């Protein structure tokens, strides 16, 4: 059976809206807290008779490859991840998530009752990866940070989801990869270090090393269309 969890958190305010930043130990969280992703599914649309008036979920199906990559990354004790996930307590579940007295410094305690369901707005692949990792890892001490909103409706969740993903478009990593390729030139042992970490960078870094060598030559060639570009 599930157990009630008490979780340390910090209360933050934005225009009168309260947001909670907390931390959880992965093992008790996965064992005791129900969480779900509100997915858009073709099956749900079919059940509604293909009615456009049927209110669907709003997130894509989990991509096992992405979850697996995070699981492999975080289970390696040479790695860590400072990124947080974002969950919401919908109005019908607020009674199962109690917020303690808030100190003048903003510290409080969140109490997750066994009947609580958290809706994941951002971070489903990280959570799924952690869940999968727990199937083969006995490390009880891994912790993750999370953001929590208390009482947002499904519509407000969707607004947050769209805003977060529209304003945080995919960040290009080409300049960072170029820097890694330069570091490999000066420190050949770096390749082996990345390999030991099982870092996804290793999949491309050897190719990138050669590719950026060519690019740097083109940048420096005054007769090239890529000169100084």
């Amino acid at each position: 059976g599930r157990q009630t969890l008490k979780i340390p958190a910090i209360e933050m305010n934005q225009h009168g809206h309260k947001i909670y930043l907390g931390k959880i130990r992965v093992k008790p969280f996965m064992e005791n807290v129900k969480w779900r992703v509100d997915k858009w599914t073709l099956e749900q649309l079919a059940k509604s008779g293909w009615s456009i008036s049927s209110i669907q979920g709003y997130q894509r199906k989990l991509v096992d490859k992405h979850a697996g990559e995070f699981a492999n990354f975080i289970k390696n004790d040479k790695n860590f991840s400072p990124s947080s996930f974002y969950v919401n307590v919908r109005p019908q579940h607020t009674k199962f998530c109690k917020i303690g007295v808030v100190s003048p410094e903003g510290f409080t305690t969140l109490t997750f009752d066994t009947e609580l369901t958290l809706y994941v707005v951002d971070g489903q692949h990280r959570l799924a990866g952690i869940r999968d990792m727990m199937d083969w890892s006995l490390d009880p001490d891994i912790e993750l940070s999370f953001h929590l909103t208390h009482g947002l409706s499904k519509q407000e969740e969707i607004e947050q989801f769209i805003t977060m993903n529209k304003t945080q478009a995919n960040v290009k990593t080409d300049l960072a990869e170029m820097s890694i390729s330069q570091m490999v030139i000066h420190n050949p042992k770096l390749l082996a270090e990345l390999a030991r970490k099982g870092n996804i960078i290793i999949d491309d870094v050897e190719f990138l090393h050669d590719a950026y060598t060519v690019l740097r030559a083109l940048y420096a060639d005054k007769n090239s269309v890529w000169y100084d570009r």
Side-chain angles (χ1 to χ4, degrees), residues 6-10 12 19-25 29 82-89 97 110 112 118 122 126-127 143-149:
K6 292 188 178 295
I7 297 172
I10 299 171
M12 300 176 289
I19 307 160
Y20 298 90
L21 172 62
K23 74 166 186 174
I24 51 98
R25 289 177 60 230
F29 180 82
S83 59
S84 64
F85 59 94
Y86 167 30
V87 290
N88 177 52
V89 181
C97 177
L110 304 176
F112 288 176
L118 296 174
D122 181 64
R126 274 162 284 163
L127 279 174
E143 296 178 325
L144 288 179
S145 62
F146 67 92
H147 289 87
L148 178 142
T149 46

Side-chain angles (χ1 to χ4, degrees), residues 152-185:
L152 294 193
S153 66
K154 176 173 178 173
Q155 175 189 319
E156 291 172 307
E157 269 181 31
I158 295 173
E159 291 172 12
Q160 289 295 329
F161 178 81
I162 293 172
T163 302
M164 290 173 70
N165 286 280
K166 285 287 189 182
T167 58
Q168 299 177 31
N170 289 336
V171 177
K172 293 184 181 297
T173 58
D174 52 339
L175 296 180
E177 288 166 347
M178 187 179 291
S179 294
I180 283 286
S181 76
Q182 287 176 305
M183 291 175 182
V184 168
I185 292 172

Side-chain angles (χ1 to χ4, degrees), residues 12-63:
M12 300 176 289
N13 289 279
Q14 293 182 5
H15 305 298
H17 300 280
K18 298 185 186 304
I19 307 160
Y20 298 90
L21 172 62
K23 74 166 186 174
I24 51 98
R25 289 177 60 230
V26 165
K27 190 173 187 297
F29 180 82
M30 289 298 171
E31 291 175 347
N32 296 291
V33 180
K34 292 180 287 187
W35 54 272
R36 61 169 298 187
V37 178
D38 202 342
K39 300 174 186 174
W40 189 101
T41 67
L42 197 59
E43 292 78 12
Q44 188 173 333
L45 188 60
K47 284 180 181 178
S48 72
W50 305 94
S51 169
I52 60 172
S53 62
S54 173
I55 302 299
Q56 273 271 19
Y58 62 94
Q59 295 199 44
R60 293 183 183 277
K61 182 180 177 181
L62 178 78
V63 179

Side-chain angles (χ1 to χ4, degrees), residues 87-113:
V87 290
N88 177 52
V89 181
R90 289 188 178 174
Q92 65 269 32
H93 289 115
T94 52
K95 62 184 176 182
F96 303 124
C97 177
K98 300 178 180 65
I99 299 165
V101 175
V102 181
S103 75
E105 297 79 17
F107 298 108
T108 187
T109 299
L110 304 176
T111 301
F112 288 176
D113 288 347

